[in-house]
């Protein structure tokens, strides 16, 4: 099932998740399932067969549990036992070359000797054997089994044991056997990423802050904080250093599609209908005497900017720092990206919906700063654009699946960009050198954020992870293939 999800560029750790993911994917697809003889996958086949944009070709042995179940539903059956459907001579040659035809498949030798409670042995073994072992053994193994199955198909990629240990570490949880984390950390010391911290559903010290369907790095009075929105309406504020709670913002009307922070601490919300709202709770207050404040009763620059956004809607939202209030960036369903505030411009950057936007203020040699907007689309491209200039003709990066979320920041190593993709991959890109590294945590990635300290935060339904790349920056583009599809 994980292999099928991988081929279709979706994230699914169970049959239900695969059916749900493919139900949302409108691509017309033919799926071929060979050697499906047991009845274990019949429910998945029946769920997929109900999707109108999918066609399935299933091979199963006559009289097998799968054949008995599927023959009772409406389907076209091609029975190769009938002479009219086969070349008799080639059939006899095939029978002669397959003396064990009909014998059930057996596990590879040595699979029973694997210690499923040993984190090092598990990460160094064939991941297919590990998965098979955990499917047949429902013991918890100190929490290692739950972590392995939570990470799912990410662990079955071609990668080093160190990278596999890092992935398991990010979804382990604090209820696991305390001996597991140090062993995994030691093995992961050669991985291309450092694990700063990870909070998993069920954690209590500190508590898991909840699902993270939208993330934004704080600014101004919220510097050092991370804004989080989930399936509830409340926005949570946590520390980027360890995810401890720093507060909450009042509930908004409906679930939020996006979050952003202005440089004065104003928090922006993109609601489920595409409207922009603001919360000034953390906004920095201008200094001055009571008389000065009394005389200056007019709206601030930030308030005028927010007022100008009324009536605008979007599918994605971000901010860019600037000399005054900065700018707010909105993307829409037609591929258009519009900038409001210090810079005002718009351009069509994508074919189809803009799924994510992010921005940064790029320092120039003359002391000025250039606002740069990054946008990611359902068309699988990430594009860069400086308002007032023509968009770059070539995509920053392009893949055969939709962008989910973007993050951008100026770090001590230079400008960086984070891209979350619909297949669960997160790309980290150094904008000056083009260096690209990838990380795949396992569960579906809902959101990403970057901080000036270089932290990459990855939001999921069941986990919030903070990692940093190891300091290897080259002058030429490179793709960190470990964990990348």
């Amino acid at each position: 099932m994980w292999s099928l999800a991988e081929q279709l560029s979706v994230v699914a750790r169970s049959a239900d998740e695969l059916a749900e993911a493919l139900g949302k994917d409108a691509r017309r697809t033919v799926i071929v399932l060979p050697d499906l003889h047991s009845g274990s996958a019949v429910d998945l086949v029946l769920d997929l067969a109900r999707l109108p944009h999918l066609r399935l070709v299933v091979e199963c042995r006559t009289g097998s549990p799968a054949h008995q179940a599927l023959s009772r539903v409406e389907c076209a059956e091609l029975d190769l036992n009938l002479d009219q459907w086969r070349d008799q001579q080639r059939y006899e040659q095939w029978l002669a070359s397959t003396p064990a035809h009909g014998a059930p498949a057996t596990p590879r030798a040595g699979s029973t000797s694997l210690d499923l409670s040993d984190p090092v042995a598990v990460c160094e073994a064939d991941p297919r054997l590990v998965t098979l072992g955990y499917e047949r053994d429902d013991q918890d193994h100190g929490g290692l089994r739950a972590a392995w199955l939570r990470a799912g198909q990410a662990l079955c990629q071609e990668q080093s044991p160190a990278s596999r240990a890092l992935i398991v570490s990010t979804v382990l949880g604090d209820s696991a056997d305390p001996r597991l984390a140090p062993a995994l950390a030691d093995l992961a010391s050669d991985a291309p990423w450092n694990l700063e911290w990870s909070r998993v559903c069920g954690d209590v010290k500190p508590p898991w802050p909840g699902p993270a369907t939208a993330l934004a790095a704080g600014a101004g009075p919220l510097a050092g904080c991370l804004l989080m929105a989930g399936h509830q309406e409340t926005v949570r504020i946590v520390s980027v250093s360890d995810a401890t709670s720093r507060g909450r913002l009042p509930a908004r009307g409906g679930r939020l599609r996006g979050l952003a922070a202005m440089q004065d601490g104003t928090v922006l919300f993109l609601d489920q209908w595409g409207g922009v709202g603001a919360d000034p709770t953390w906004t920095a207050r201008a200094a001055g005497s009571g008389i000065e404040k009394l005389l200056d009763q007019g709206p601030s620059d930030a308030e005028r900017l927010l007022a100008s956004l009324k009536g605008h809607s979007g599918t994605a939202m971000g901010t860019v720092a600037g000399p005054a209030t900065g700018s707010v960036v909105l993307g829409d369903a037609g591929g258009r990206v519009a900038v409001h505030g210090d810079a005002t411009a718009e351009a069509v950057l994508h074919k189809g919906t803009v799924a994510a936007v992010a921005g940064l203020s790029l320092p120039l040699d003359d002391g000025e700063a250039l606002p740069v907007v990054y946008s990611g689309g359902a068309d699988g491209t990430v594009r860069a654009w400086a308002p007032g200039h023509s968009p770059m003709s070539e995509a920053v990066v392009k893949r055969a699946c939709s962008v989910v979320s973007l993050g951008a920041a100026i770090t001590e190593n230079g400008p960086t960009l984070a891209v979350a993709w619909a297949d669960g991959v997160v790309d980290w890109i150094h904008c000056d050198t083009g260096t690209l590294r990838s990380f795949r945590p396992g569960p579906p990635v809902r959101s990403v954020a970057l901080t000036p300290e270089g932290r990459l935060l990855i939001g999921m339904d069941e986990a919030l992870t903070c990692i940093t790349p190891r300091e290897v920056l080259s002058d030429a583009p490179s793709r960190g293939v470990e964990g990348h599809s």
Side-chain angles (χ1 to χ4, degrees):
M1 188 274 297
W2 289 351
S3 176
L4 179 58
E6 189 68 25
Q7 293 178 55
L8 295 171
S9 298
V10 298
V11 184
R13 294 162 296 168
S14 66
D16 290 342
E17 287 188 3
L18 179 59
E20 181 181 1
L22 295 181
K24 297 176 181 178
D25 189 335
R27 291 175 295 175
R28 296 180 62 83
T29 306
V30 176
I31 298 174
V32 180
L33 300 174
D35 296 320
L36 187 70
H37 307 306
S38 73
S40 59
V42 168
D43 288 341
L44 172 62
V45 172
L46 295 178
D47 287 341
L48 298 182
R50 296 186 184 100
L51 301 177
H53 56 285
L54 298 184
R55 295 293 182 269
L56 283 85
V57 179
V58 180
E59 177 194 23
C60 55
R61 191 178 303 116
T62 301
S64 66
H67 178 258
Q68 293 176 15
L70 295 176
S71 62
R72 292 194 292 266
V73 301
E74 184 178 352
C75 63
E77 182 176 352
L78 184 66
D79 188 350
L80 296 183
N81 288 319
L82 301 178
D83 293 341
Q84 67 195 75
W85 298 119
R86 70 184 182 209
D87 182 310
Q88 188 62 31
Q89 181 178 358
R90 293 180 63 185
Y91 177 64
E92 291 175 356
Q93 291 174 344
W94 173 73
L95 283 178
S97 65
T98 315
H101 177 65
T106 57
R108 291 170 52 183
S111 62
T112 57
S113 63
L114 177 63
D115 184 356
L116 296 175
S117 297
D118 182 346
V120 175
V122 162
C123 292
E124 292 178 342
D126 183 334
R128 293 168 296 181
L129 293 181
V130 177
T131 303
L132 181 62
Y134 284 140
E135 286 179 344
R136 294 178 172 179
D137 183 354
D138 58 2
Q139 295 184 33
D140 191 45
H141 296 282
L144 197 56
R145 177 182 184 272
W148 184 276
L149 297 179
R150 176 177 280 146
Q153 67 198 75
L155 293 166
C156 294
Q157 305 292 306
E158 280 293 332
Q159 58 193 324
S160 65
S163 293
R164 202 167 282 126
L166 177 68
I167 295 172
V168 175
S169 296
T170 65
V171 292
L172 189 63
D174 64 7
S175 63
D177 187 322
R179 295 170 294 182
L180 293 178
L184 288 168
D186 184 59
L187 181 58
S189 61
D190 292 330
W193 299 91
N194 292 306
L195 175 61
E196 300 290 324
W197 50 261
S198 188
R199 303 290 175 255
V200 182
C201 179
D203 282 0
V204 293
K205 294 181 180 179
W208 173 57
T213 56
L215 293 176
L222 285 169
C225 295
L226 180 70
L227 308 174
M228 298 178 57
H231 302 298
Q232 304 298 322
E233 297 177 2
T234 303
V235 174
R236 290 145 286 149
I237 304 173
V238 301
S239 168
V240 297
S241 61
D242 58 6
T244 53
S245 178
R246 298 285 296 274
R248 291 173 178 259
L249 293 178
R252 312 298 300 178
R255 291 176 57 180
L256 300 179
R257 301 175 65 173
L259 286 171
M262 298 179 66
Q263 58 200 38
D264 68 350
T266 300
V267 177
L268 302 181
F269 311 94
L270 186 68
D271 64 32
Q272 59 185 324
W273 301 282
V276 179
D279 189 301
T281 302
W282 287 71
T283 303
R285 305 301 178 186
S289 68
I291 295 177
E292 289 174 329
K293 292 182 179 180
L294 182 62
L295 294 175
D296 185 14
Q297 292 293 324
S300 66
D301 291 339
E303 289 170 338
R304 281 190 288 268
L305 170 57
L306 295 173
S308 72
L309 293 174
K310 290 184 178 180
H312 292 276
S313 63
T315 56
M317 178 184 65
T319 56
V320 185
T325 61
S327 301
V328 177
V329 185
L330 293 175
D332 66 21
R336 185 180 303 275
V337 176
V339 182
H340 308 264
D342 289 350
T344 302
E346 63 178 37
V348 176
L349 302 180
H350 298 276
K351 296 179 180 178
T353 301
V354 178
V357 291
L360 49 79
S361 187
L362 189 64
L364 302 178
D365 293 337
D366 60 4
E368 298 292 324
L370 177 69
V372 178
V373 172
Y374 294 95
S375 63
D379 58 4
T381 64
V382 176
R383 299 195 175 275
W385 171 47
H389 300 76
S390 298
M392 291 183 62
S393 58
E394 295 294 327
V396 176
V397 63
K398 182 177 182 179
R399 297 190 59 223
C401 62
S402 175
V403 175
V404 171
S405 179
L406 292 176
I410 301 291
T411 71
E412 61 181 13
N413 290 317
T416 57
L417 176 69
V419 187
W421 301 91
D423 64 352
V425 172
V426 177
D427 283 337
W428 175 94
I429 303 170
H430 190 271
C431 301
D432 284 346
T433 65
T435 301
L436 186 154
R437 283 196 190 159
S438 299
F439 179 68
R440 190 171 191 170
V445 176
R446 307 302 185 191
S447 54
V448 290
L450 280 170
T451 72
E453 299 78 25
R455 293 184 173 98
L456 170 57
L457 297 123
I458 304 173
M460 296 159 277
D461 289 336
E462 301 172 8
L464 176 65
T465 296
C466 178
I467 58 175
T468 53
R470 296 192 186 276
E471 298 300 330
V472 181
L473 297 177
S474 65
D475 294 329
S478 64
R479 179 168 291 274
V481 294
E482 295 200 324
H484 200 289
S485 57

